[in-house]
Amino acid sequence: MQDAILAMLAKEPAHGYDLGVRLRRALGPLGESMNAGQVYVTLGRLEKAGLVVHHRADGQPARPDRKVYELTEAGQRRVAAWLSELKLPKPDLVEFHLKVATASAGRLADPTELVAAQRHALRQRLHEVQRAVLGEPEGSTTGLLLEGIALRLQADLRWLDACDSVWANFENKSEEE
Amino acid sequence: MSEFNAVLRVRGLSKEHGSGESLVRAVDGVDLEVPTGQTLAVMGPSGCGKSTLLHLLGGLERPTRGETWLAGHRTDTAGERALARLRSRSVGFVFQAFHLIEELTAAENVELPALLAGRSARAARRRARLLLEQVGLADRSRHLPCELSGGQRQRVAMARALANEPLVLLADEPTGNLDTAATLDVLRLFQDLRGAGQTLVIVTHDERVAASADRLITMRDGRFVDDTQLAGSVGGLGGLAGWED
Ligand SMILES: Nc1ncnc2c1ncn2[C@@H]1O[C@H](COP(=O)(O)OP(=O)(O)OP(=O)(O)O)[C@@H](O)[C@H]1O
Ligand SMILES: [Mg+2]
């Protein structure tokens, strides 16, 4: 979120309030739970790091939403770096994999039950995301974000099918020995 | 749930094929109630009995054992003619392979069920025009199926299935031959139907199609091994944005 806020300030200075509105708009349903405080906390941190400065809008009382923020030179360099930086998404599978592996090895839990529980949770989430996708008009950019999330959840569910068959057999093998 | 607000209701439903060594229990003693307006998805590995279940629910096949009701009418004991009438009035089918009549235009395909149910040519035509509009294909109504894309054909098939305002729409892998964009078109249609209170049963191998439903049943070897109401996750979508800082 820090980088996104900096990038929003690259074109022109803005009130914290405006930044919050623009973030929420870009995120659609994903931004609904975001509150204004989170933007001000982030701005405070950016200011401490020397990436933004603020001044008060003329003649306004000293309220946080009256502060106008702008990028410092360091802030501008950081935006340029962010835009050119390549970041590969983390496939968050390692923790679940280790949970099943250790549970299986130590007979702490039935791997297939762990997989089933995970599948239930993923399906509930996919339901929510998929409904949100269908609620967006065609060509909407937040729809695009939701579509990407749905595709990933779908991939995770496919992976769980693979987990199911391998862990079920794995367990049988170790019991036969 | 009383049988009156359940559009579909089955008790101890079984369908067997063959006998002795080669006996296959395609559906093996399932109970099910589908309330009016519900969208139910059915998943499970190939051969677990999904299509058979759908055919039994819609009265296309007769059960070996068990009782079936459609809109409060007992169907497993109904005579052929009564069953055929109930089926054509109350059930719409959509299949993976579309099953359109290749010699008829899109509009004629959609008109056909209404004509077969004894409606006037004018009423059938009016209904077909409305339905093709609803599925976004008003401008393709004079095309033959071979002149339409897979996604368009499936939408024509859905319009046809809705011709007689069925109480329930039964779809067997309706997106099985479609790409992601065409699948989304079909899902949007299902969503519209759901919004209008249509009861839907959708057999699918696609998690995203299943995730669009209100309820998801998983089958294995002819039985239900899971029955989940889909209600979303705790925390909601906002949690996905990740505001750790
Ligand atoms: N007419 C038939 N004669 C003999 N066996 C049949 C017949 N119809 C279906 N079966 C068997 O019944 C079982 C269930 O078939 P069904 O078509 O319902 O599976 P399905 O879940 O729809 O599979 P898929 O996902 O591949 O479409 C299978 O083992 C199938 O071979
Ligand atoms: Mg099938």
Side-chain angles (χ1 to χ4, degrees):
Chain A
M1 170 144 94
Q2 291 198 351
D3 287 306
I5 285 178
L6 288 173
M8 285 177 173
L9 289 171
K11 196 178 151 214
E12 58 196 5
H15 291 287
Y17 176 81
D18 291 334
L19 295 172
V21 169
R22 279 151 74 186
L23 263 181
R24 266 195 296 277
R25 200 182 304 141
L27 290 169
L30 270 64
E32 272 158 24
S33 70
M34 192 184 83
N35 61 51
Q38 284 164 314
V39 173
Y40 294 116
V41 169
T42 305
L43 283 167
R45 286 189 190 149
L46 292 169
E47 187 151 35
K48 238 181 233 160
L51 299 168
V52 302
V53 290
H54 81 267
H55 60 268
R56 273 179 225 295
D58 292 338
Q60 299 286 345
R63 285 188 11 221
D65 57 342
R66 295 298 166 220
K67 291 180 183 172
V68 176
Y69 289 86
E70 70 182 292
L71 289 187
T72 62
E73 236 168 77
Q76 277 162 9
R77 278 198 300 277
R78 167 95 177 247
V79 171
W82 183 52
L83 291 176
S84 60
E85 159 191 85
L86 291 178
K87 214 183 243 174
L88 290 179
K90 277 190 232 120
D92 291 323
L93 305 175
V94 175
E95 194 206 329
F96 182 73
H97 174 77
L98 289 177
K99 187 190 282 186
V100 179
T102 50
S104 168
R107 314 228 161 200
L108 307 174
D110 180 351
T112 55
E113 274 171 26
L114 292 177
V115 171
Q118 184 79 355
R119 181 182 287 114
H120 268 118
L122 279 173
R123 279 179 169 163
Q124 293 293 357
R125 171 130 284 177
L126 181 57
H127 168 75
E128 204 169 15
V129 175
Q130 183 63 33
R131 283 280 171 93
V133 167
L134 294 171
E136 290 289 328
E138 274 172 77
S140 128
T141 56
T142 48
L144 200 58
L145 171 62
L146 291 163
E147 174 75 13
I149 295 171
L151 287 168
R152 281 172 169 232
L153 290 168
Q154 188 181 29
D156 285 350
L157 281 161
R158 271 201 213 146
W159 179 64
L160 286 185
D161 284 341
C163 286
D164 238 352
S165 51
V166 172
W167 283 114
N169 292 330
F170 190 77
E171 196 185 35
N172 294 342
K173 250 182 262 158
S174 57
E175 265 165 20
E176 279 162 22
E177 277 163 14
Chain B
M1 182 73 46
S2 94
E3 65 196 78
F4 300 107
N5 49 20
V7 178
L8 294 169
R9 179 161 175 261
V10 308
R11 280 283 166 270
L13 189 67
S14 293
K15 178 71 180 184
E16 293 169 1
H17 293 289
S19 60
E21 288 280 282
S22 64
L23 179 76
V24 176
R25 293 200 168 90
V27 171
D28 192 6
V30 307
D31 298 329
L32 175 66
E33 273 169 34
V34 184
T36 303
Q38 183 171 74
T39 299
L40 167 67
V42 181
M43 294 191 87
S46 187
C48 71
K50 304 180 296 295
S51 296
T52 307
L53 173 71
L54 211 64
H55 296 165
L56 293 170
L57 290 177
L60 282 181
E61 281 185 53
R62 297 276 189 174
T64 308
R65 272 185 304 281
E67 300 169 355
T68 57
W69 286 265
L70 178 59
H73 301 282
R74 184 86 181 259
T75 47
D76 57 295
T77 51
E80 270 316 317
R81 196 177 297 173
L83 184 60
R85 196 167 56 223
L86 196 61
R87 206 166 48 212
S88 78
R89 283 193 189 158
S90 310
V91 189
F93 286 96
V94 176
F95 302 96
Q96 177 175 1
F98 321 132
H99 294 192
L100 296 172
I101 299 175
E102 293 296 327
E103 291 76 19
L104 300 182
T105 64
E108 288 163 348
N109 266 287
V110 179
E111 284 167 25
L112 199 57
L115 293 173
L116 292 177
R119 303 238 206 136
S120 76
R122 212 165 133 243
R125 211 173 310 131
R126 197 178 321 125
R127 177 92 182 126
R129 198 180 312 130
L130 196 83
L131 285 166
L132 283 172
E133 211 162 280
Q134 195 184 341
V135 302
L137 289 173
D139 56 337
R140 295 285 194 285
S141 61
R142 288 158 168 276
H143 286 57
L144 293 171
C146 65
E147 298 165 337
L148 298 171
S149 73
Q152 290 167 341
R153 274 184 245 187
Q154 191 59 298
R155 285 186 279 150
V156 173
M158 284 176 68
R160 180 190 55 186
L162 294 167
N164 290 330
E165 299 175 70
L167 291 169
V168 59
L169 189 68
L170 304 176
D172 197 351
E173 296 184 43
T175 62
N177 285 336
L178 307 181
D179 69 6
T180 313
T183 294
L184 206 55
D185 284 342
V186 168
L187 288 182
R188 283 186 199 283
L189 261 175
F190 280 138
Q191 182 80 346
D192 291 345
L193 293 174
R194 210 177 67 80
Q198 177 73 54
T199 310
L200 296 156
V201 182
I202 306 168
V203 164
T204 185
H205 285 286
D206 184 335
E207 288 280 355
R208 289 187 69 185
V209 173
S212 312
D214 303 310
R215 175 183 178 193
L216 172 53
I217 285 179
T218 307
M219 285 185 79
R220 194 146 301 164
D221 300 329
R223 301 203 174 130
F224 294 169
V225 293
D226 192 68
D227 186 348
T228 302
Q229 300 289 331
L230 296 174
S233 46
V234 230
L237 287 176
L240 287 170
W243 310 114
E244 298 87 44
D245 50 312

